[in-house]
Amino acid sequence: MKRLLKIITVIIIFNCQFSIVNLASAQCETPITAFSGSETINYKLYFNWKFIWIGAGTASLNTVPTEYKGKKGYKTSLVTQTSKKIDRYFMMRDTIMSIFSDKLVPLYYRKGAREGKRYYVDEMWYSYPDANTCQTTTRHIHDDGHKTAEKHVYRQCMTDMLHAFQQFRNMDTSDWKKGQSKTISIAGGSEVIKARLYYRDDKTIKGEDGNKYKCKVISYIEKDGKKDKEIVRFYVTEDSRHIPIRLDLFLKFGSAKAFFSGMK
């Protein structure tokens, strides 16, 4: 799961002012069409263990209207929790959050994660000092309490993995063809991580709720040296809401799947 929403930047809070949305962010705007209020999507997690799929816990994707530094927007959170049975082997308690404007411009990111015996916090603030600049200020709190910090300036629109997924949900993909891909830029410290969203196929997927859904199959791919590495495969509904029905996760220790179990 940590590979699903991996952010390798680290964050510091500077005493300088943070601009929220101005001319610079306007070029990065995306109309929001997938949701218009609060939304909660629930999943059941399964891990692959010696060729056997076992129930591992639950996850939920929550999106709610919010206000950030006086600006209206949305807060989306992915909360993942392993079951008590799995905790004996590997405990996971992750809360990953992204705040963006009502035009889907990223403003803030945070990940607080307990993974095994390790606990750490990543944060990232976005600001837009001029019409052509995206600035990130970052902080990473290590599991031993040590803090590291960085500040970076980019001359392009930037995103993090959770924001990028919500951005995809609000894209018009009606004219996408199989084999088509879209490149996105992930804030990754001194280097920009170039990732791709790749349209694989169409499939009918059965959720944990017993219903079947017609889905687009989309892969999130990053460069691993000179090779492409698939991090996660999304199965999203073909309608304009692009509700994720299933996620196939390719982890360091194996693989996992998250199946849609309901939403409100």
Side-chain angles (χ1 to χ4, degrees):
M1 179 62 68
K2 57 188 176 183
R3 290 289 298 166
L4 166 64
L5 290 158
K6 176 187 69 174
I7 297 293
I8 59 176
T9 52
V10 282
I11 293 185
I12 185 172
I13 304 176
F14 289 87
N15 290 325
C16 64
Q17 64 182 8
F18 293 113
S19 305
I20 301 303
V21 179
N22 56 21
L23 292 178
S25 63
Q27 60 186 325
C28 306
E29 292 178 354
T30 303
I32 294 178
T33 57
F35 44 82
S36 59
S38 298
E39 174 190 80
T40 298
I41 307 174
N42 296 313
Y43 299 90
K44 288 187 179 179
L45 292 178
Y46 293 86
F47 285 168
N48 184 271
W49 181 260
K50 296 181 179 180
F51 306 105
I52 300 174
W53 288 96
I54 59 175
T58 60
S60 63
L61 181 66
N62 308 290
T63 304
V64 297
T66 192
E67 191 171 288
Y68 183 78
K69 294 186 180 292
K71 299 293 183 179
K72 291 184 178 180
Y74 286 88
K75 177 176 71 174
T76 187
S77 304
L78 179 65
V79 181
T80 308
Q81 177 175 308
T82 49
S83 64
K84 291 182 178 179
K85 181 179 179 180
I86 297 298
D87 283 349
R88 290 180 291 176
Y89 304 98
F90 183 82
M91 177 183 287
M92 184 166 61
R93 300 287 187 276
D94 287 4
T95 299
I96 304 161
M97 179 178 69
S98 179
I99 296 177
F100 44 86
S101 75
D102 57 4
K103 299 295 184 181
L104 250 174
V105 177
L107 304 173
Y108 175 71
Y109 166 88
R110 185 184 191 277
K111 178 178 181 179
R114 180 173 297 281
E115 296 167 348
K117 296 181 179 180
R118 181 176 177 235
Y119 179 78
Y120 63 94
V121 175
D122 284 334
E123 289 181 280
M124 179 159 58
W125 290 260
Y126 298 84
S127 59
Y128 305 91
D130 61 51
N132 300 301
T133 305
C134 173
Q135 178 177 291
T136 61
T137 52
T138 62
R139 178 174 63 188
H140 179 77
I141 303 175
H142 301 261
D143 52 0
D144 61 0
H146 176 64
K147 299 178 182 179
T148 54
E150 294 183 16
K151 180 178 180 179
H152 297 284
V153 176
Y154 305 97
R155 298 295 179 180
Q156 58 183 302
C157 299
M158 300 302 296
T159 185
D160 52 74
M161 292 185 72
L162 185 55
H163 171 265
F165 178 66
Q166 291 291 30
Q167 193 175 45
F168 165 76
R169 289 189 62 200
N170 287 278
M171 290 179 186
D172 179 7
T173 61
S174 58
D175 61 348
W176 279 32
K177 308 297 182 183
K178 294 178 185 178
Q180 183 174 339
S181 63
K182 177 178 175 60
T183 301
I184 55 177
S185 298
I186 304 292
S190 58
E191 295 184 2
V192 176
I193 300 173
K194 289 296 183 182
R196 287 192 299 126
L197 295 172
Y198 176 73
Y199 178 17
R200 285 186 171 275
D201 204 352
D202 298 320
K203 247 183 182 179
T204 298
I205 297 296
K206 186 176 182 180
E208 284 285 325
D209 61 346
N211 295 319
K212 293 182 179 181
Y213 301 89
K214 291 182 178 180
C215 296
K216 291 181 182 292
V217 185
I218 308 291
S219 290
Y220 174 85
I221 298 169
E222 288 184 359
K223 279 290 184 184
D224 185 12
K226 294 183 179 180
K227 297 181 179 179
D228 286 342
K229 185 170 185 178
E230 186 177 13
I231 307 300
V232 60
R233 191 173 297 177
F234 303 98
Y235 298 76
V236 299
T237 56
E238 293 182 340
D239 60 21
S240 61
R241 298 190 67 189
H242 293 156
I243 298 168
I245 299 299
R246 180 176 127 191
L247 304 121
D248 293 353
L249 317 174
F250 305 100
L251 312 173
K252 286 183 177 180
F253 57 85
S255 56
K257 295 181 187 292
F259 287 90
F260 175 87
S261 60
M263 70 178 294
K264 60 182 178 180

